[in-house]
Amino acid sequence: MKRLWMSLPEVPETPYIAVFRCRFATAEKMTLPFTFSADERCQLFLDGQRIIDGPERGATRRWYMQNCSIDLAPGEHVLCARVIAFGFHQWAYAQLSVRHGFWIDEPQGILKNWDCQIESGCTFETPFPDWGAFPRVHLTADHNPDILTGKGGIWQPVAYFEDERELFPPDLPLMRYEKVVPQVRENNCFYFPDYLCVWANYRFSGKGTVKIRWAETPYLTDKFDDLYLKGNKGKRNGQYLVGNFDTFEIDGQFHWFDYWWHAGHYVQIITTGDVECIPEFYRTGYPYGNFTPANTLEKMVFDTLQACSFETFMDCPYYEQLMYIGDSRLEAICTRLITDDDRLIRKALRLLSLSQNPDGSLNAQYPSRSIQQIPSFMLIWILMLHDHFLANGMDELTGELLPKAEKVLEYFAGKEKDGLVAIPGWNFIDWCNNWESGTPPGGEQNSILNFFHLLALQAVFQMSGKTEYREKAKKLHADIHSAFFDEQTHLYAIDREHKFFSEHANVLALIADDPRPEIIDALRKRDDLTPCSIYFSYYYLEACMKCGMDDLAEKRLALWEKLPDEGLTTFPEEFTNPRSDCHAWGCYILKYLRQKKSAGKRIF
């Protein structure tokens, strides 16, 4: 279906911000419903007051519309749509685009006369260290301070273009928008005791410059690794903030609204000259509702999940804000423990499936403007779908996505050699200290990926009932054992030569119904195996639960129990020296905390 979208009459090179204005009048008090969409995104302002943002984040093949309803008093009004158009080199990694513009459908015909202008005085800078987020803004004094009230500047009639993209109704409720008041700290800082995602706006007055930056935490020293984005965080009580600023040159009064939210604990506001800045902050995120934590760790679970859940799941809210498959499965597991609302889980499964390529492979993260493939994540998407199947049976979504899961398995079937898969590229499995970029040693053909392949075959057999997957799983299990099981150590090696060993393959073996007592015994006795990180420890704890290894589970859970002593309020990306202080792939421990509580002294 073709729809008429608005654009600027002369479209400039990106990046830019466009404001579309409609002036109208009402004779009496009324409620005005309408539907809108924008590319890349927009914020709507009625008479200068922010009313909504949208549309809900989607993909090029699943672009969303957003419903809105405004209450109007009699008289004249101005509705402004502020549309961001940053383009490929500046937009956030998780934000896609088809063609920049604005669309609105208002059946009563009241919102019919539109004009527009560029938000002047804005230049943009690549963000650092949060490289995956939207760019920083530098606002000069020639900015039109009244643009969001529909005044000032030069307004021109809009141009129209036909757009054929399908617009989908929202899958999710509106995100939270709740006012919060931070603590005031030294060094021009505001501090949020809870790690939050926050929309901000600022009232400026006077003449001078204001610089604003957000941070997860201050560092102990000013030494910072620009490549790995790490520094010495200590107990999260340092004095040095890292990151570039939004910069505002002020000459008079105006009200600035950030065009995207920020994440972290700290916002630093530095003023020079005779200028005043009055900020307002509104937390955002998926509206999970109420959750009453039983202890500090449960609160950290909920705060981490909330900060990493927006219109998609996110790996981390401060850096990429990308929906990775490996992270999303674990976030979905945690979500089911705190709420019956599975709308975000359903959307995640569907959006991730839209990254499927003609050969059946999936991208590691989607929506994303980068193309990245991680073989294990393709199989983990099947396991995530299987989790949904176990919770909901063969419902409409499972039926829709099951053929895509089978197509993933077709891709892996084409990568087999001697019955085992080996896929070139970045074979990320886990962030381990002695592994290069998360890739296990010993070559492309490793036991860990093949065990994930086995688990995926077992999952598709359970969902589809097709015996061909059961038979293939049995054969693959035998081939894995023949190639990787080491008779001397009674463990599965990572590689065919049996030079490298870790916990990973062995816990997957236990999950995949290979409960050999010698594996369990070796896991208890060996302390030289490369351990699973905070991410992969989900599979470790699943193996502990399946095989009754309470002692090992207790030791692993102790790693989470130490985190509050590090000054953390959310779970980090890694147990030691993390880049990100808020990474939702550690939230799944709520499952084991509850199991431990219900079992008394025993964990499982």
Side-chain angles (χ1 to χ4, degrees):
M1 176 181 177
K2 293 182 178 180
R3 292 180 172 90
L4 283 179
W5 283 55
M6 304 176 206
S7 71
L8 296 167
E10 295 182 7
V11 180
E13 291 187 7
T14 55
Y16 64 87
I17 301 176
V19 177
F20 297 87
R21 177 187 72 171
C22 180
R23 293 176 292 179
F24 63 99
T26 57
E28 58 186 8
K29 183 179 179 181
M30 66 176 297
T31 298
L32 183 65
F34 58 88
T35 304
F36 71 94
S37 189
D39 187 336
E40 299 160 22
R41 290 184 70 98
C42 77
Q43 298 164 296
L44 296 187
F45 297 82
L46 178 66
D47 303 328
Q49 298 298 311
R50 182 190 188 277
I51 55 173
I52 197 172
D53 70 282
E56 182 180 313
R57 175 164 283 170
T60 54
R61 288 189 289 153
R62 192 173 180 86
W63 205 268
Y64 289 95
M65 61 180 78
Q66 183 64 58
N67 301 316
C68 186
S69 183
I70 52 179
D71 295 324
L72 298 168
E76 296 183 349
H77 299 282
V78 180
L79 181 67
C80 288
R82 186 198 202 196
V83 178
I84 56 174
F86 288 134
F88 183 79
H89 296 291
Q90 287 283 10
W91 74 44
Y93 271 67
Q95 180 64 53
L96 299 185
S97 175
V98 178
R99 181 177 175 180
H100 296 125
F102 177 69
W103 171 82
I104 191 167
D105 179 32
E106 186 274 295
Q108 298 184 52
I110 295 174
L111 305 177
K112 59 183 179 180
N113 297 315
W114 290 84
D115 47 19
C116 59
Q117 67 172 278
I118 289 179
E119 189 158 5
S120 61
C122 297
T123 58
F124 303 95
E125 178 185 2
T126 300
F128 178 82
D130 48 328
W131 56 270
F134 280 109
R136 302 286 189 265
V137 65
H138 185 156
L139 202 70
T140 61
D142 61 358
H143 173 259
N144 176 7
D146 301 315
I147 191 169
L148 297 182
T149 63
K151 301 175 182 177
I154 300 174
W155 297 88
Q156 298 178 292
V158 299
Y160 290 92
F161 63 92
E162 288 187 342
D163 192 288
E164 296 184 347
R165 81 184 84 183
E166 184 176 1
L167 294 178
F168 291 83
D171 281 330
L172 307 178
L174 291 176
M175 298 298 104
R176 302 169 70 171
Y177 192 76
E178 302 161 359
K179 190 168 185 177
V180 289
V181 179
Q183 299 174 7
V184 179
R185 293 283 183 93
E186 297 178 353
N187 299 322
N188 309 297
C189 276
F190 294 88
Y191 172 72
F192 298 96
D194 294 328
Y195 189 113
L196 298 179
C197 300
V198 178
W199 286 99
N201 63 79
Y202 310 92
R203 295 185 183 274
F204 300 114
S205 61
K207 186 176 179 62
T209 300
V210 180
K211 298 174 69 176
I212 302 172
R213 67 175 168 187
W214 293 72
E216 288 190 317
T217 188
Y219 295 82
L220 291 182
T221 72
D222 60 357
K223 293 181 180 180
F224 187 76
D225 187 323
D226 291 356
L227 178 61
Y228 294 101
L229 306 179
K230 294 183 177 184
N232 188 346
K233 294 181 176 180
K235 302 294 183 181
R236 274 71 183 177
N237 56 355
Q239 297 295 319
Y240 297 91
L241 292 176
V242 172
N244 52 4
F245 293 85
D246 288 313
T247 303
F248 303 89
E249 299 176 16
I250 310 302
D251 188 4
Q253 297 183 357
F254 79 96
H255 195 177
W256 170 265
F257 291 82
D258 278 345
Y259 49 76
W260 192 245
W261 49 264
H262 295 274
H265 278 293
Y266 292 86
V267 55
Q268 183 181 36
I269 302 178
I270 300 174
T271 62
T272 57
D274 184 16
V275 63
E276 182 181 30
C277 171
I278 301 176
E280 287 186 334
F281 303 109
Y282 295 82
R283 73 171 304 177
T284 191
Y286 193 86
Y288 280 118
N290 295 326
F291 174 78
T292 303
N295 50 49
T296 298
L297 280 184
E298 287 198 5
K299 184 178 188 306
M300 292 177 74
V301 166
F302 192 52
D303 287 354
T304 307
L305 182 65
Q306 285 191 112
C308 296
S309 302
F310 187 63
E311 294 163 355
T312 65
F313 288 124
M314 297 179 290
D315 58 339
C316 52
Y318 186 76
Y319 291 92
E320 296 99 306
Q321 302 174 10
L322 285 167
M323 184 160 66
Y324 277 87
I325 293 173
D327 307 59
S328 295
R329 184 194 182 196
L330 304 182
E331 290 172 83
I333 287 168
C334 183
T335 297
R336 288 192 180 92
L337 295 172
I338 66 169
T339 179
D340 293 330
D341 180 1
D342 67 351
R343 286 175 287 183
L344 186 54
I345 300 172
R346 290 173 178 270
K347 179 183 177 183
L349 280 164
R350 181 174 281 117
L351 280 187
L352 289 166
S353 78
L354 292 178
S355 75
Q356 190 162 53
N357 300 294
D359 63 1
S361 63
L362 294 171
N363 291 349
Q365 18 100 338
Y366 196 76
S368 173
R369 66 181 178 92
S370 65
I371 298 175
Q372 180 189 77
Q373 293 192 334
I374 298 175
S376 64
F377 280 21
M378 301 178 199
L379 300 167
I380 290 172
W381 178 81
I382 295 177
L383 302 182
M384 183 179 175
L385 178 61
H386 185 245
D387 295 338
H388 175 82
F389 167 77
L390 293 177
N392 298 279
M394 185 53 72
D395 64 354
E396 183 179 354
L397 181 63
T398 305
E400 173 191 336
L401 299 183
L402 182 54
K404 294 194 172 190
E406 295 186 81
K407 195 170 182 180
V408 171
L409 293 181
E410 289 177 13
Y411 170 78
F412 275 81
K415 302 296 182 181
E416 290 179 4
K417 181 180 179 182
D418 300 326
L420 299 168
V421 294
I423 298 177
W426 186 33
N427 274 277
F428 171 83
I429 292 293
D430 192 17
W431 291 124
C432 299
N433 290 335
N434 56 343
W435 291 4
E436 181 66 28
S437 300
T439 302
E444 292 177 352
Q445 199 172 61
N446 68 72
S447 60
I448 305 169
L449 181 61
N450 279 280
F451 267 120
F452 270 127
H453 189 197
L454 172 60
L455 290 168
L457 285 166
Q458 293 173 340
V460 172
F461 165 65
Q462 290 184 30
M463 289 187 284
S464 69
K466 295 180 181 179
T467 56
E468 63 191 82
Y469 296 114
R470 180 182 61 192
E471 298 309 311
K472 184 162 185 177
K474 289 180 179 178
K475 182 180 183 304
L476 176 58
H477 200 168
D479 290 339
I480 292 172
H481 184 79
S482 175
F484 298 108
F485 192 75
D486 185 77
E487 296 293 345
Q488 290 185 323
T489 62
H490 302 294
L491 289 168
Y492 283 96
I494 295 172
D495 60 318
R496 280 182 171 274
E497 288 72 31
H498 300 190
K499 293 181 179 179
F500 303 100
F501 293 85
S502 75
E503 295 175 343
H504 302 71
N506 294 285
V507 299
L508 293 183
L510 296 175
I511 294 170
D513 293 323
D514 190 353
R516 300 174 187 273
E518 57 266 38
I519 296 177
I520 298 172
D521 189 54
L523 284 172
R524 283 195 167 107
K525 293 180 177 179
R526 295 282 295 267
D527 59 3
D528 59 337
L529 300 177
T530 299
C532 300
S533 75
I534 192 171
Y535 156 61
F536 213 95
S537 285
Y538 166 74
Y539 301 97
Y540 183 95
L541 290 168
E542 280 293 285
C544 290
M545 183 169 69
K546 186 166 188 173
C547 300
M549 298 185 293
D550 295 58
D551 51 339
L552 297 185
E554 191 74 60
K555 291 179 181 178
R556 189 55 48 97
L557 289 174
L559 297 176
W560 276 267
E561 293 168 354
K562 296 176 182 178
L563 295 175
D565 294 334
E566 298 299 316
L568 287 159
T569 64
T570 50
F571 295 141
E573 186 172 10
E574 301 172 71
F575 283 124
T576 57
N577 193 29
R579 174 196 61 152
S580 169
D581 276 359
C582 185
H583 224 85
W585 64 14
C587 290
Y588 58 81
I589 66 152
L590 182 61
K591 178 178 181 178
Y592 309 103
L593 293 173
R594 287 184 173 179
Q595 186 74 20
K596 180 178 179 180
K597 182 179 179 181
S598 65
K601 291 184 178 181
R602 287 182 56 82
I603 298 178
F604 305 126

